[in-house]
Amino acid sequence: MNPNGQRADVTMCQNHRPARRMHRAGDKRIVRALPPLFPLLRTTTRVVFLDDDVRYLQMLSIAIPERFAASLYSAGVEAANDLQASLAHLARERSGLAGIAADGEKSVVLALRYLHDPSRFFIAGVLGCDYAMPDEAGTAFCAKHAISGLRRILLTGSADTEVAVGAFNEGAIELYMPKQASNPLEKLIVNVDSQMLRSAAERGAVLAAAIPPQTQSLLEDRQLEPALTRFIEKLGVVEYVFLGRPLGLIAVDKNGSVLWIQLEDEPSLRGLVEILTESGWNREEIDLVRDRKAAVDVEVASQLPGHEPRIEPLQQLCAAPYLGAAVFALDALPDALAPAQHRSWRIENAGARLK
């Protein structure tokens, strides 16, 4: 609540300072800043586990939630081959995302084609690696796989904390956690969830090239993140691609429905009013847009054959500077643009695998 008794997520932007992570080992203190931008991409990728303790891997295979697709290995060679194969899917994804950022006139269709392609599910977004491997220390294995978009978690014994701190300082891992912690499997799943989001954020950074300067400023100040994050979570969004032209998110919710979340700031609303006026929309609807009460998906409709522009309520996310969001259902898409469903892909590819 703000001093006026209003909900902060509806009427005001929250200007958070960038959060930081801190680890302590003896007298050493490690501080690493988190990425300052609202994540421009959220997708579901795989997690690869490497541990020579087969019993531990068997416990993991039982504990891993259904939303994860996991590959579990007891030998470093097999895990390395898996990560190598993931590179081809990463390259394909980067090319697709770069194309989305570069072509505003086709960005909606290109984003839908990206979500239609199940190859993103093959990407290894997180590596969980045991430190005490017989042939090669987990720190060395992680250091060899410094891949943009791959987040590395080192699993350690109680005596390995100093080694893990050193690996973190050297950039060989993004996170470490002791196996002897209370509720270790629950904490591991929480950390994998978090690192999955970080992986997508790193891979989606290429989309920033299409973000308008005024929106880029919002993202860099972290004013947009709290309100927009809550907004998409209430919609049940599980995957999205952030577009700069038109401004918004092509999103998929937990039921597999496709949404266009249109974002509007003051300059874009003025431009939308001009377009609607020139296109002959009636005065009442134009006034709703001018008064920040509604938005029309004219730019999306121009890219999707057979999709007629619609008007939907506009919800204020931030007051100063202004940012609003309207939600449009993209139903009746052709098969070539329908998003691939992770659950179907996971069943087809046997889910968790222990090798």
Side-chain angles (χ1 to χ4, degrees), residues 87-135:
L87 289 175
H89 299 293
L90 279 166
R92 180 171 179 170
E93 178 185 68
R94 182 170 182 80
S95 176
L97 295 177
I100 293 169
D103 194 343
E105 294 183 358
K106 297 180 180 178
S107 59
V108 173
V109 171
L110 292 175
L112 288 169
R113 287 178 181 169
Y114 165 79
L115 292 170
H116 173 76
D117 185 355
S119 66
R120 69 188 183 281
F121 300 144
F122 288 97
I123 291 172
V126 178
L127 167 65
C129 183
D130 183 38
Y131 167 68
M133 292 295 293
D135 298 327

Side-chain angles (χ1 to χ4, degrees), residues 282 298 329:
N282 68 57
V298 288

